Amino acid sequence: MRGHGVWMRNATLFTRTTQACLVGVFVLGMTLRNVSVVLNALFALGVTFLPAVLERDFRIELDPRFTVYLGVAVLLHAVGMFRFYDQVWWWDHLTHTLSASIVAVVAYATVWAIDAHSDRLYFPETFVTVFVLAFTLAMGVFWEVLEFAAREAALALNLDPVLILYGLDDTMLDLVFNLAGALVVTLFGTGAVREQGEELAAWLERRRGTS
């Protein structure tokens, strides 16, 4: 319990630091009049408030390690808009791996929560692994389609695209790293993710008790 409390304090401090950095990215983006930087900084900043909203409004306490991990992912993405995606060859691969692993964590915890909550459902471990991998890849494809649609819409309106596309080969490589992020979760992170799933299961039980 003492270690968990230390993690909570450190996660809170890290989140505040991340939010301050994202505000700095936003201000710099406004100064440079870079719409991509501004919008991505705002999106990333909003994501950092999700854990607090879930805990306050839904009484779902996220693992502080996941909160830190989430903050790292969105901060790297926002900072990457300062041409890091163009000039650092591995930056895009890293952010895609981190983002995909977050999607995989959410998928795995949700399936585990449903399995633990319901007496009528049982999901074998193999099924859960395949589902998490497939779901993560599907979300990766959806994101790539969204990037393409957003770019085409911006060009049609004579606006600067907020998201950057580098061609089909890059898209396929992004999906490979999405799969890598999901594999990391299914191979090495299931213990911690199951704990988060149990927290979600407890939330489902509370909702059933109040309905």
Side-chain angles (χ1 to χ4, degrees):
M1 294 299 292
R2 179 179 301 175
H4 182 76
V6 171
W7 262 106
M8 287 292 294
R9 290 192 297 272
N10 290 340
T12 300
L13 177 61
F14 180 84
T15 298
R16 298 292 180 265
T17 304
T18 300
Q19 290 168 344
C21 291
L22 289 171
V23 170
V25 171
F26 170 79
V27 172
L28 185 55
M30 290 290 291
T31 302
L32 298 175
R33 297 183 179 181
N34 190 316
V35 177
S36 296
V37 172
V38 169
L39 292 182
N40 279 278
L42 285 176
F43 173 78
L45 185 61
V47 170
T48 63
F49 286 100
L50 281 178
V53 172
L54 290 174
E55 183 174 357
R56 183 193 64 201
D57 297 342
F58 299 94
R59 291 187 297 162
I60 301 176
E61 183 178 333
L62 296 183
D63 189 313
R65 293 169 295 181
F66 178 73
T67 302
V68 170
Y69 195 84
L70 181 66
V72 170
V74 296
L75 180 60
L76 288 177
H77 172 67
V79 172
M81 301 310 294
F82 291 115
R83 302 192 64 81
F84 282 94
Y85 281 115
D86 296 323
Q87 298 176 355
V88 182
W89 67 267
W90 49 263
W91 197 276
D92 186 48
H93 305 330
L94 175 62
T95 55
H96 269 277
T97 303
L98 293 176
S99 299
S101 61
I102 290 172
V103 173
V105 166
V106 173
Y108 194 104
T110 301
V111 172
W112 181 258
I114 295 173
D115 182 47
H117 169 71
S118 176
D119 296 330
R120 298 180 180 180
L121 295 176
Y122 168 70
F123 298 131
E125 188 67 30
T126 302
F127 168 82
V128 175
T129 300
V130 172
F131 172 80
V132 170
L133 295 177
F135 181 83
T136 305
L137 279 178
M139 290 298 99
V141 172
F142 175 76
W143 176 255
E144 297 296 334
V145 172
L146 184 64
E147 282 187 335
F148 176 79
R151 177 179 175 81
E152 292 301 308
L155 293 176
L157 296 172
N158 292 321
L159 300 173
D160 292 331
V162 175
L163 300 173
I164 303 172
L165 296 179
Y166 297 97
L168 181 60
D169 290 342
D170 181 73
T171 297
M172 298 307 297
L173 196 57
D174 288 344
L175 294 178
V176 170
F177 281 95
N178 288 345
L179 181 60
L183 283 172
V184 169
V185 173
T186 57
L187 292 176
F188 305 107
T190 54
V193 177
R194 283 187 179 184
E195 293 179 6
Q196 191 64 66
E198 291 173 358
E199 176 69 22
L200 291 176
W203 175 73
L204 290 173
E205 288 290 342
R206 292 194 298 269
R207 284 188 58 86
R208 183 169 66 178
T210 58
S211 61

